[in-house]
Amino acid sequence: LKPLCSSQPWGSCAHLGAHSDRAAMNAGVGTAQPQVSPVEMLIAEMKGMADCFSRMSASCYSKCIANVHDVKLSVAEMNCVDRCVSKYMDVYTSVGGELQGAMASAQAGAAAGSAE
């Protein structure tokens, strides 16, 4: 399972939603796995990306921006938001890589089990 749209090692956090949807669809061991169309994959990826952005925005906003009375962010607020977004994406990339590895292992195990 390779990400569709990103050159990052594991893509963006959108792939977590897309891959977890595929994992749910492929949960039936020993049954024929449904084919997922490219359009469905893109829709799932876009939903995952929107969800990731929404969660990241809410989390970083609440941690870094104390008041909204100023027209511009202070330097400290900008630095905080920058670090927060970077850490958030690093964690999503790491978790996504682990999820992809676990799914590959599960699929290999299921394929080996059905071959016997």
Side-chain angles (χ1 to χ4, degrees):
L1 298 173
K2 293 293 272 181
L4 294 176
C5 67
S6 182
S7 60
Q8 295 177 11
W10 205 78
S12 66
C13 55
H15 300 291
L16 288 179
H19 289 295
S20 62
D21 290 346
R22 278 186 248 145
M25 286 188 280
N26 295 333
V29 177
T31 61
Q33 295 181 357
Q35 294 295 321
V36 180
S37 75
V39 172
E40 291 172 322
M41 290 173 65
L42 288 173
I43 289 171
E45 194 163 328
M46 290 301 295
K47 284 181 181 179
M49 187 178 296
D51 181 57
C52 173
F53 182 77
S54 174
R55 290 174 188 255
M56 181 177 59
S57 296
S59 177
C60 294
Y61 185 88
S62 67
K63 291 177 185 175
C64 297
I65 301 173
N67 70 42
V68 192
H69 302 298
D70 298 330
V71 176
K72 294 182 179 181
L73 295 177
S74 69
V75 173
E77 289 171 331
M78 286 188 281
N79 287 336
C80 180
V81 169
D82 186 45
R83 284 191 313 272
C84 181
V85 168
S86 177
K87 288 178 184 179
Y88 202 92
M89 293 307 295
D90 288 346
V91 167
Y92 261 82
T93 300
S94 177
V95 169
E98 292 293 324
L99 178 63
Q100 186 177 18
M103 288 174 49
S105 296
Q107 287 178 348
S114 64
E116 292 176 3

